[in-house]
Amino acid sequence: MTEYQGPKVHPLRVKADRKAAQIPHKTVPPRFLDPFINRTELHQRLSSIDDVTWLLIAPPGYGKTAILAQHYSYLSSLSVHTGWLSLSYEDNDPVNLQRNMILAYAPDLLSDPDFSNAKDHISDIWRINGELRSRLNRGVRSHIFLDGIDKITDPICLGLLDMFILGLPENTTLYVAARHTTGLHLHDGRLRGVVKELTLSDLRLSDNEAYEMLGSSWVRADVEVLNSLMHGWPAGLRFMAMDTAAAKRYLDKPGRDVILPTGLADYFESEVCRNVPEETLRDLMEASVINLFSPEILADIPGRQCSWQRISSILRMGLFVRTVEGDPQWMEFHPVFGHYLRRLLYSISPYRLQELERFATEWFQRHGYAIEAMHHVQKLDDDLYAAGIMEKSGTIQIEMQEDQASLATPLLPIELVSKYPVACLNQIYFRLRKGQHGESRLAFEKMRQITNDFTKFEQTVDANLVSGFAYLVQVMINASDDRPITPLELENLENQFSKYIDVDPVLGGGIGTLLALAYISLGRFEEASTICDIGLNKMRNNQAIHVAFFLHCQNGNAAMALGRWKEATLHYEDSYRLTKGRMIHDKYETLIAQVFRAELYYESNDLPKAQELIEAIFEKLPTVNGWLELYATAYGTVTALLGITQGLDAVLPYFSSAESLAKQRNLPRLLQFVRILRLREKTRARQLRKATELFEHPEFQEMLVPADGEDRVWQFRMQTPALLECSRLMIELGRFREASGYLERINKSYLEEADIRLRFTFRMMAMQTAFHLRRYNAAFEHMVEGLELSIEGSLIRRTLNHRTEILEVFDWSIRNGRSVPRRVLTFVNKALREAEEGDTALALRYRSAGRRSGNADGTFVLSPRETEIIALIAEGFATKEIAFRLAISEGTVKTHRKKINEKLGVASRSQAISKAREMLII
């Protein structure tokens, strides 16, 4: 028999005590200096299925070993049979590998005479491998761990591992961590379902996990930006946390080329690139400049042959290169690994870097990938060349992020607008994003003069599209002035939207976001939602992420105003998801998304989440472009939230910040809105004398003057909440007739179509004044209408603010025989009455409509079908009629009736009806 002639580190036969002294570290999990974060979801998945092999496959630094070590510790605490083995390159000797597996999983085999007499023959090694598996099959469930399997490259050792993994007994669960599984033949196990995988997408840190790992000393919004850069890579986040200067550089200008922390660069050099062949590393450096690459573009790289085969082998090695989801012919780099490789190439040949950027620009431009072309052109040093590329790309430049757009700064003279109209308009677009309204208006007017109102150009351009883009920029400038939109301007917006949405969905969608904003400012929420739906539908297969982001935001705003809470949630979450995409790296969209998500959390009374989001945005809010509704939402939410949780003193700095911003941006209505917020919070804090002084101030009284003229609806936007806060103050002062008088001054036609939150507040104010003025019928009607709005729009925080008054009117109504709608009755008795201050909308919905198991009080004990039948019984239908209406047999109806009586604890039809009504089932 031929003996194995490969390298041997230790002989097979050793004494157990000697071996244990030599490698105790291999049979126990490694110790970690940094504390674990609790990745509960992953551990639940690992615990969900036994008797399989779990493969954790991801590049280094994704916490595979830490996750397995934590799971090992958990299982050991349950006194479950466990075993651990950390593999090393020395285990590429079959003798060494087999000995270590025995020590880790069945050390008692060392004392077996059959083992002691074994030779260093391959046949004996295979035989002992089988004996090892049989030792695990003793009726005791085993959980065994194998870390670092990717270090094994020897064919015989790979065969041993294959046999071991696929031949394990049914009562054994194996957990394997590896960068890759090259050489292991596990395909059959995957097909049979005995091999399960957790891949990179599973092992990435969520934003919450990243925040937990870095600690509360970090701002959550900053952690989210860094986690997005790192694609949830734990090791990368730790390197950033250790080099706060590098982290701050990136956070100040996210999206630009990252200057990596020294430790991270060293990590890539020593742990990732050390074993990559020189030729392959050169291929990686050149491909990293292109970043998103395919075999076709690599084959066209000038100057040398860049091998797709060599690079794709890196993917199989489990390094930081991956196929693009949904399109496996394209590959891309992990962002920071790509930065590292580009820096490495730049240190060797800066000229080659620029040559490849120009090549990528032209290749993507030529093949119709305009957005990718724009990404590369921004990195070139030739502004005129970049401007020419931008012209060829049409209006797609509105998809670029500000921190990657070198042309966002005034590098091109305005005088070149006739030759490069799109590039020059793009400069104004990005100035607007940065809140530079005055400069933008002056530059735009100069461009208008030079081009004879954007009709005169030096070269052949698509004058129609340039005109549309100029119109978009002009409307953005006008919107920043916060002035009433005239009927003619609105009609022009509608016409421009219709004109461009089919021929250029990006431009048409951009105009659509402004049209939706105009509709929202006029209280025409259904029309705003329709415009957004059309825009999103037209761009379904388009890369216009930024435009889609704003359409989702405006659609969410319209849904919130209409009381469609679930729909608003979906749109806001979609908008936030887009900020995590590859094309958005700056904080502009992220900040906007956080504002609206915070408002949603506030309204549904998830105050901790709302506060977590809202407080993090105000440092950046004054530095970016916005609009009245955005600022009003941000300041309205934060002041309401802090007024409830911390009191008036915590709110005052935000009033000052809002007033400063309003003056800086020339937003008179924002100043008016701050006065309304001040009155609200002073009234809430029971500082009634100061609230009265504010109310009596001429500037506040000016808002109460009856609106007239074409812009009446524009005036109602501030006048209505002002009148509502006046009513609130009068109620607190006990002056109910005056409170009622201010409510009477609200324009009812506007109110009927107004934001659901205004309508709810009106109903609450009207309910209180009517009740105290002994107008009980009116108070009852306002209560019911208000609660219907609350339930519909999940306005739980606002409802809890008025809970005492609602219950007072509700209880009086019940005592006096008023018929309360079933939905309102259930909500008050099962949710609102028992609600705690921290209960969220979901908690109250569950309490109001869920839990239909046999409670002590019998509430909701019936199934949906039984509830349906008892309702029909109560309406007087006979068994035969019920069977006909529900398309079931009479016998089935009788069976249900019997179960109903049993569950309700009654013996007759009349008792069942009475009991069901008492329990609010019908």
Side-chain angles (χ1 to χ4, degrees), residues 329-349:
Q329 76 157 343
W330 288 92
M331 298 178 72
E332 64 181 347
F333 288 85
H334 187 288
V336 288
F337 187 47
H339 287 306
Y340 167 76
L341 292 171
R342 286 193 290 276
R343 291 281 179 184
L344 195 59
L345 179 61
Y346 180 79
S347 67
I348 298 170
S349 175

Side-chain angles (χ1 to χ4, degrees), residues 416-486:
L416 292 178
V417 64
S418 297
K419 187 174 183 179
Y420 301 112
V422 172
C424 290
L425 285 168
N426 184 56
Q427 290 181 176
I428 296 180
Y429 175 78
F430 284 107
R431 288 183 191 177
L432 283 171
R433 281 173 63 99
K434 294 180 178 180
Q436 299 170 4
H437 302 131
E439 295 175 34
S440 300
R441 180 176 291 282
L442 290 174
F444 185 80
E445 290 304 322
K446 189 171 182 179
M447 289 183 191
R448 185 197 295 278
Q449 294 172 9
I450 294 173
T451 60
N452 192 21
D453 203 14
F454 294 98
T455 60
K456 182 181 177 182
F457 306 104
E458 292 183 9
Q459 62 179 24
T460 303
V461 297
D462 191 333
N464 184 46
L465 288 179
V466 171
S467 174
F469 188 37
Y471 178 78
L472 173 68
V473 172
Q474 181 180 17
V475 175
M476 288 179 63
I477 293 172
N478 291 340
S480 67
D481 286 346
D482 188 33
R483 59 178 179 78
I485 185 167
T486 66

Side-chain angles (χ1 to χ4, degrees), residues 528-593:
S529 180
T530 299
I531 291 297
C532 293
D533 286 340
I534 293 171
L536 289 168
N537 184 59
K538 291 293 183 181
M539 293 190 300
R540 185 174 298 167
N541 299 316
N542 197 290
Q543 300 182 60
I545 294 177
H546 284 254
V547 173
F549 167 84
F550 283 106
L551 287 171
H552 276 301
C553 281
Q554 301 298 5
N555 220 346
N557 294 342
M560 279 288 286
L562 291 166
R564 300 170 184 168
W565 185 74
K566 291 181 180 178
E567 186 178 325
T569 302
L570 292 175
H571 283 298
Y572 288 152
E573 291 303 320
D574 279 342
S575 68
Y576 182 65
R577 174 181 53 80
L578 290 174
T579 70
K580 297 295 187 183
R582 187 170 55 86
M583 289 187 54
I584 294 182
H585 301 289
D586 61 41
K587 286 190 174 181
Y588 180 67
E589 281 81 6
T590 303
L591 182 146
I592 292 171

Side-chain angles (χ1 to χ4, degrees), residues 233-260:
W233 182 35
L237 278 170
R238 289 195 186 279
F239 279 117
M240 274 294 197
M242 288 187 290
D243 190 340
T244 54
K248 187 177 186 305
R249 280 195 302 268
Y250 182 76
L251 292 169
D252 286 341
K253 292 186 178 295
R256 289 189 183 274
D257 234 20
V258 181
I259 299 177
L260 297 178

Side-chain angles (χ1 to χ4, degrees), residues 822-864:
R822 178 182 172 187
R823 185 166 73 152
V824 171
L825 190 72
T826 302
F827 175 75
V828 172
N829 282 332
K830 295 300 176 184
L832 183 60
R833 193 181 296 277
E834 303 298 327
E836 298 178 0
E837 279 299 300
D839 283 345
T840 65
L842 289 176
L844 294 189
R845 281 174 183 267
Y846 175 71
R847 188 177 299 165
S848 178
R851 300 185 303 191
R852 301 195 175 195
S853 58
N855 299 338
D857 61 354
T859 307
F860 298 128
V861 295
L862 302 185
S863 70

Side-chain angles (χ1 to χ4, degrees), residues 211-220 223:
Y211 184 70
E212 181 185 348
M213 186 182 80
L214 294 187
S216 58
S217 61
W218 286 79
V219 176
R220 180 174 287 271
V223 172

Side-chain angles (χ1 to χ4, degrees), residues 780-814:
F780 173 74
E781 290 172 4
H782 288 306
M783 177 201 69
V784 171
E785 289 292 333
L787 288 174
E788 290 283 7
L789 293 172
S790 170
I791 296 168
E792 179 183 351
S794 290
L795 305 178
I796 301 307
R797 182 61 255 167
R798 294 173 187 261
T799 304
L800 290 175
N801 290 343
H802 295 280
R803 173 166 55 178
T804 301
E805 296 82 7
I806 291 171
L807 292 177
E808 182 181 20
V809 177
F810 177 87
D811 291 339
W812 181 93
S813 301
I814 294 297

